[in-house]
Amino acid sequence: MPILAALVAGCASLDRLPAVPLAETSQALFLGLPNARFVIGEAAPAAMAAEFRRAYEREVAYRRTASGADAVLGRANYLAISGGSDNGAFGAGLLVGWSERGDRPVFKAVTGVSTGALSAPFAFLGPEYDSALAAVYTDSDAADIFEKRSMLAAISADAMADTAPLYRLISRHVDDRLVGEIAREYGRGRLLMVGTTNLDAGRPVVWNIGAIAASGHPMAVEAIRKILLASASVPGVFPPVMFDIEIGGKHFQEMHGDGGATAQAFLYPPTISLRGAGTVPARSRTVYMIRNGKLFQDWKETERKTLAIAGRAVSTMIGSSGLNDMFRIYATARRDGLAYRLAYIDNDFSEPYRGPFDRAYMTALFEYARAKARAGYPWRHAPPGLEQQAGPRTAVQR
């Protein structure tokens, strides 16, 4: 009987405050900031379009102050970094190699999901942070990301593993200095955004990291750490991250998990158009998309067992979702007049996969991408099957 009682108690849900009602999700303020985040739904959030406009105005003001006269704005480069777990070493290596080649641009905006969210702040701040970016993917292993829980603990808790090590890793890099530099660049008109999934509402949420950094809020650094952790927290495998919310004097909690549950990568919602009135004036633009994975999964004979079949189906579904995001960003870019550049792990990378966050695998993948970028990465101009319409591949360019 005591064993049965323990099992029953273990299956009880963990305590939490009430979830924000769906009707109030878009009105819920985080840290009291109206532009800290944007809930993506059926319609384009007007607040997000307004944020793009204000970023343009800040950029113009900064250029005018720096040059002493009205400056002509050059090409705006955007970077979208996808999820992909330990395959994030590909994007990290590509960025570092790109810096070493000497023609990596300054990005007007950087977006990231899951492992891409962990890379995004370093990519946003530029080559000065390449050593930190490299360290995250070549000096870390599974023990730096998660701690396994016992089966009983996993059943009674909220995930199979504990991400306290990942939180410590994030905290070592996301400090007052890094957040202060993000705030500085936000003031110059640049944007850094990270995606999570609100598991209560079943909606994607885009967090405006620059605005949070620039807010001066005493909890800004801690909030950014939690957002990055949430974006990389695969539901069921890693614990969700809880965010305290107050609405009209009432206290709630939102449960957030991996942004990849709703989108493996994003640039901006297709319901917003950069050519639309009230966004930003016309200028030359390029979006670079880094897919931290291959186009398709490697072939594998699947055992005729429940868990093996379910696992293979889930991984296939996640990969297909990433392909859909690739096409969606391409379609949005074509509509709005942005040049499109795509990178992904090609079939010439053959390092064997030994398990999650294996250091040897990640280092090999990092160096593979680094070498390609140093030689001039052959960016695709369109997703597979559409390249004939978009023209030939090109090496890295501004």
Side-chain angles (χ1 to χ4, degrees), residues 41-113:
E42 295 82 4
M48 193 170 185
E51 183 69 14
F52 290 166
R53 178 71 193 189
R54 288 193 296 269
Y56 167 77
E57 292 170 351
R58 291 195 303 273
E59 182 182 8
V60 169
Y62 167 69
R63 296 287 183 89
R64 183 180 295 120
T65 300
S67 65
D70 289 341
V72 177
L73 299 181
R75 177 175 292 275
N77 295 290
Y78 300 80
L79 176 65
I81 314 175
S82 84
S85 189
D86 41 16
N87 280 333
F90 172 75
L94 192 156
L95 287 165
V96 170
W98 198 351
S99 295
E100 291 169 346
R101 181 177 168 84
D103 55 0
R104 175 176 153 188
V106 174
F107 298 107
K108 167 69 174 176
V110 176
T111 67
V113 173

Side-chain angles (χ1 to χ4, degrees), residues 330-370:
Y330 175 71
T332 303
R334 293 274 289 186
R335 183 198 66 189
D336 291 352
L338 282 74
Y340 178 91
R341 303 291 181 263
L342 171 66
Y344 55 81
I345 303 172
D346 223 328
N347 292 327
D348 57 347
F349 179 73
S350 57
E351 180 76 13
Y353 188 76
R354 304 172 185 87
F357 303 102
D358 175 72
R359 186 177 300 189
Y361 173 85
M362 291 192 294
T363 299
L365 182 55
F366 177 92
E367 293 299 340
Y368 160 85
R370 181 183 188 179

Side-chain angles (χ1 to χ4, degrees), residues 50-257:
E51 183 69 14
F52 290 166
R53 178 71 193 189
R54 288 193 296 269
Y56 167 77
E57 292 170 351
R58 291 195 303 273
E59 182 182 8
V60 169
Y62 167 69
R63 296 287 183 89
R64 183 180 295 120
T65 300
S67 65
D70 289 341
V72 177
L73 299 181
R75 177 175 292 275
N77 295 290
Y78 300 80
L79 176 65
I81 314 175
S82 84
S85 189
D86 41 16
N87 280 333
F90 172 75
L94 192 156
L95 287 165
V96 170
W98 198 351
S99 295
E100 291 169 346
R101 181 177 168 84
D103 55 0
R104 175 176 153 188
V106 174
F107 298 107
K108 167 69 174 176
V110 176
T111 67
V113 173
S114 195
T115 192
L118 302 181
S119 301
F122 306 124
F124 180 75
L125 292 176
E128 180 185 350
Y129 280 86
D130 279 357
S131 59
L133 178 60
V136 168
Y137 289 97
T138 62
D139 293 343
S140 302
D141 54 28
D144 298 299
I145 306 300
F146 64 89
E147 295 173 350
K148 290 184 179 179
R149 290 171 171 167
S150 68
M151 185 58 68
L152 182 59
I155 293 173
S156 62
D158 51 6
M160 300 297 293
D162 185 353
T163 49
L166 177 57
Y167 177 77
R168 291 193 291 269
L169 178 64
I170 292 170
S171 298
R172 283 202 298 273
H173 294 287
V174 180
D175 54 16
D176 289 340
R177 175 173 175 264
L178 180 140
V179 172
E181 292 184 6
I182 292 173
R184 178 197 66 206
E185 295 304 311
Y186 178 78
R188 295 174 177 178
R190 300 177 62 213
L191 296 171
L192 171 61
M193 296 188 173
V194 164
T196 67
T197 298
N198 182 329
L199 296 173
D200 297 314
R203 304 285 178 88
V205 175
V206 173
W207 296 82
N208 193 357
I209 302 298
I212 295 172
S215 69
H217 196 284
M219 294 300 294
V221 174
E222 175 65 14
I224 292 171
R225 291 170 177 169
K226 289 182 64 177
I227 292 164
L228 298 181
L229 180 64
S231 186
S233 294
V234 181
V237 180
F238 295 157
V241 176
M242 308 303 295
F243 291 91
D244 295 330
I245 301 293
E246 182 178 345
I247 304 175
K250 295 181 180 180
H251 295 274
F252 302 91
Q253 274 187 326
E254 291 180 346
M255 179 184 289
H256 285 253

